[in-house]
């Protein structure tokens, strides 16, 4: 049997600088409790357990001493036995936070996995699939799942609140071609740098439409490869997501790394 190619020297940039307003805790989402820890700590422990990273660079809300302290403690806990854990101040947008993270990478990094702290329970197996696809030669790799719901497009409506008119369907999208995209998204470092350099030429409206890093790589015309994601990689956004994540930790599934 042929051996799989060896992995690239990899950093994980964890974007954790969001406000988490939709979660409604009045604190940054990364600091919100999940089980006995915070959302951020679950994300960090998952990354370290996967053993893909030489460096983990965390983009935090600027000036958040509590989260900075948490990362310091985690760094001390790992001591010499794990990746280098560093922190940077995040920016106004997710892309700004990613840029701050990649600007702070150590010498010798060949590949970067960009990961949302909000996907705190992403299984190790997904990190492995992404890292292995990069090792096999892909410049950009995203984990994704098929879409289970029927998806329709609607005509834009006028008005707001109670005055909002019912929307009218304009079409049904072929579901077989759709994927729900997650993180960690993996890139060769040079590809990610080029994509983010090009992104700085976008106008405000175009920038606002960029919701992940792969989109920027697509704009370069570079192929983006897809590997299997996981339902465990859900993005904790609303209170219901938090209840679901708590259920994954404590419920009948029991163990954390159930789904590969
Ligand atoms: O806002 P959204 O849920 O899309 O954020 C996805 C991830 O990006 C979260 O982990 C959030 O903390 C991070 N983020 C960031 N800096 C921002 C906005 C979002 O690091 N300015």
């Amino acid at each position: 049997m042929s051996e799989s190619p060896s992995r690239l020297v990899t950093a994980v940039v964890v974007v954790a600088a969001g406000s988490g307003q939709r979660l409604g805790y009045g604190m940054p989402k990364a600091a919100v409790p999940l089980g006995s820890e915070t959302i951020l700590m679950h994300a960090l422990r998952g990354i370290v357990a996967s053993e893909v990273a030489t460096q983990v660079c965390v983009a935090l809300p600027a000036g958040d001493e509590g989260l900075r302290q948490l990362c310091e403690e985690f760094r001390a806990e790992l001591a010499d036995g794990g990746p280098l854990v560093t922190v940077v101040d995040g920016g106004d947008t997710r892309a700004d936070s990613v840029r701050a993270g990649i600007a702070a990478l150590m010498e010798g990094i060949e590949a970067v996995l960009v990961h949302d702290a909000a996907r705190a329970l992403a299984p190790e197996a997904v990190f492995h699939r992404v890292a292995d696809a990069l090792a096999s030669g892909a410049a950009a790799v995203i984990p994704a799942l098929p879409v289970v719901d029927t998806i329709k497009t609607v005509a834009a409506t006028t008005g707001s609140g109670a005055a909002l008119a019912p929307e009218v369907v304009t079409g049904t999208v072929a579901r077989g071609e759709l994927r729900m995209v997650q993180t960690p998204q993996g890139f060769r470092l040079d590809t990610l740098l080029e994509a983010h350099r090009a992104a700085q030429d976008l106008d405000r409206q175009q920038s606002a439409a960029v919701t992940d890093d792969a989109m920027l790589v697509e704009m370069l015309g570079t192929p983006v490869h897809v590997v299997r994601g996981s339902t465990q990689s859900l993005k904790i956004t609303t209170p219901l997501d938090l209840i679901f994540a708590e259920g994954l930790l404590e419920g009948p599934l029991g163990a954390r790394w159930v789904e590969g």
Side-chain angles (χ1 to χ4, degrees), residues 10-248:
T10 300
V12 180
V13 169
V14 185
V15 282
S19 64
Q21 273 175 356
R22 284 167 292 184
L23 207 49
Y25 265 71
M27 63 171 82
K29 195 194 303 189
V32 168
L34 170 59
S36 57
E37 299 201 279
T38 58
I39 286 178
L40 178 61
M41 282 310 300
H42 279 283
L44 293 179
R45 288 196 193 285
I47 293 162
V48 170
S50 76
E51 298 185 341
V52 294
T54 299
Q55 179 182 6
V56 180
C57 182
V58 192
L60 295 175
D64 191 312
E65 285 309 318
L67 284 173
R68 194 170 272 262
Q69 179 68 27
L70 207 67
C71 291
E72 290 295 335
E73 284 165 16
F74 186 56
R75 193 205 323 246
E77 184 187 314
L78 293 177
D80 299 332
L84 174 70
V85 177
T86 52
V87 298
V88 291
D89 283 342
D92 291 341
T93 66
R94 184 186 182 281
D96 290 335
S97 297
V98 173
R99 276 192 282 275
I102 50 185
L105 297 183
M106 57 194 254
E107 281 288 309
I109 293 295
E110 298 170 313
V112 181
L113 270 52
V114 181
H115 188 45
D116 291 338
R119 296 186 190 273
L121 302 183
E124 287 172 49
V126 174
F127 286 90
H128 295 167
R129 285 198 278 276
V130 172
D132 288 342
L134 289 172
S136 298
V141 185
I142 58 174
L145 289 177
V147 171
V148 290
D149 292 317
T150 296
I151 306 288
K152 295 191 187 290
T153 53
V154 294
T157 51
T158 53
S160 62
L164 193 67
E167 293 171 332
V168 177
V169 169
T170 53
T172 303
V173 184
R175 188 170 66 181
E177 289 177 15
L178 298 181
R179 297 291 177 269
M180 297 190 295
V181 173
Q182 305 176 329
T183 70
Q185 297 191 347
F187 308 92
R188 298 238 164 197
L189 177 60
D190 51 358
T191 302
L192 188 61
L193 285 172
E194 191 187 349
H196 274 276
R197 231 176 271 130
Q200 284 173 316
D201 295 334
L202 299 177
D203 64 30
R204 259 179 84 130
Q205 204 183 351
Q206 290 168 320
S207 295
V210 173
T211 50
D212 74 351
D213 300 278
M215 253 179 101
L216 299 175
V217 173
E218 289 158 44
M219 288 175 192
L220 298 178
T222 302
V224 175
H225 296 254
V226 180
V227 295
R228 187 160 50 85
S230 167
T231 50
Q232 260 184 240
S233 304
L234 80 150
K235 186 162 82 168
I236 301 170
T237 308
T238 66
L240 191 62
D241 298 327
L242 197 56
I243 292 168
F244 190 65
E246 294 276 4
L248 281 175

